[in-house]
Amino acid sequence: MVKKKSGSHRQSLKQKYKVQKRCKEHDRKLKKAKNRGNQPLGKKKRDPGIPNSWPLKKELLEQVERAKAKKEADKLAAKEQKKAAKAAAKGGSLAALAASATARDERCS
């Protein structure tokens, strides 16, 4: 029996671009999931909170609040420290900048 000729494998451009778009989207989702610790998108872990029957609920809530405040204070302190280091690296005050300019001027003259 004679084999039937197969049709063309030619792909329309619409189909080609649709496949490329889906591949790109899939890769983007995989990369995001990898960065989130392999959790699928939209599946954030929900904090169940503290039940009312918990014996030391007030103390635990206060402890959580203190930890949150400490974290915020540490963040602000780190920000201020970074800002001070950046200012020191930049040249400090205007007087220090003027002094260094005169020193360079004397060296060149």
Side-chain angles (χ1 to χ4, degrees), residues 39-61:
Q39 277 189 345
L41 289 173
K43 296 281 185 178
K44 294 179 183 175
K45 286 190 176 177
R46 187 172 159 264
D47 183 21
I50 304 164
N52 286 332
S53 61
W54 197 267
L56 304 172
K57 182 176 179 177
K58 285 186 180 179
E59 288 83 359
L60 187 59
L61 286 173

Side-chain angles (χ1 to χ4, degrees), residues 9-74:
H9 292 287
R10 184 169 178 168
Q11 192 177 35
S12 69
L13 291 178
K14 178 183 176 183
Q15 183 68 22
K16 175 184 170 184
Y17 295 137
K18 189 162 59 169
V19 169
Q20 285 178 353
K21 182 178 160 186
R22 284 188 181 162
C23 288
K24 189 175 181 181
E25 186 71 20
H26 179 69
D27 291 342
R28 186 182 68 83
K29 282 185 180 182
L30 287 179
K31 193 188 291 186
K32 272 191 171 183
K34 181 182 163 205
N35 290 337
R36 296 182 79 225
N38 289 329
Q39 277 189 345
L41 289 173
K43 296 281 185 178
K44 294 179 183 175
K45 286 190 176 177
R46 187 172 159 264
D47 183 21
I50 304 164
N52 286 332
S53 61
W54 197 267
L56 304 172
K57 182 176 179 177
K58 285 186 180 179
E59 288 83 359
L60 187 59
L61 286 173
E62 290 171 0
Q63 181 184 0
V64 167
E65 192 63 37
R66 281 194 305 266
K68 201 180 280 187
K70 184 181 183 304
K71 188 176 180 182
E72 186 67 31
D74 289 345

